[in-house]
Amino acid sequence: MIVGLIIACEVAFWVLLAAGLAFRYVFRMPRLGLALLLCEPLLEVVLFAVTAIDLRHGAEPDWRHGLAAVYIGFTVGLGHSTVKWADARVAHRFAGGPPPVRPPKYGRARAVHEWKVAGRWTLAALVAVALLQAAVWYVGGHGETDSLRAWQLRMLWVIGINLVIAGSYTLFPKAEPKAEPKAEPKAGPKGGPKGGPNGGSEREPAKMR
């Protein structure tokens, strides 16, 4: 049941996102589009409530309850940036908006970008860890919580990997490739630029004779 609800929430997320952007930019109904986008957090509320009720009715905590907590955490941490990413591209395609800004590739700007990405993933993982810990406390000392603890450990790995990636761009920034020097004009028969020693024709004009 929990896994099916997670899949349904993921499908509903993208359906609401597509519908919201379509009404906002294609059908020129921005208020309705915004209303559909604002319904996105309700999906996490429903999933959280169903998971809590399932545990309250005596269900043994397992990987499915942990997956639900992780899904909610990642939606909280990454959902807004996903909506913003899609909004910029649809606005550019259908509403004459500016081209989407591409992330920087080199130097300090790239390092700052990577830290922002790491921050979003860290927030997602921390929310998941907090929900998992709440589930552990909710179950109490008499319940089986090993699967929930295992999910917490995975989230700590996610945080660590993202911090290492962002730190690598700070300690070893990617240098921008040097521009190639402009090609010099080809030399003519007498050693000057093509066409003569002074860059003109090899023959002097008649009026200069």
Side-chain angles (χ1 to χ4, degrees), residues 138-181:
Y138 186 74
V139 173
H142 300 291
E144 178 60 44
T145 59
D146 290 345
S147 61
L148 302 179
R149 296 294 188 187
W151 276 112
Q152 286 182 318
L153 181 60
R154 294 186 186 102
M155 293 302 98
L156 295 179
W157 273 103
V158 169
I159 294 173
I161 291 172
N162 278 276
L163 293 181
V164 168
I165 293 174
S168 68
Y169 278 93
T170 302
L171 297 175
F172 309 102
K174 188 176 181 181
E176 186 174 359
K178 295 181 180 180
E180 296 182 359

Side-chain angles (χ1 to χ4, degrees), residues 71-86:
Y71 177 82
I72 295 172
F74 275 63
T75 304
V76 171
L78 305 175
H80 176 73
S81 60
T82 301
V83 173
K84 187 177 179 181
W85 176 88

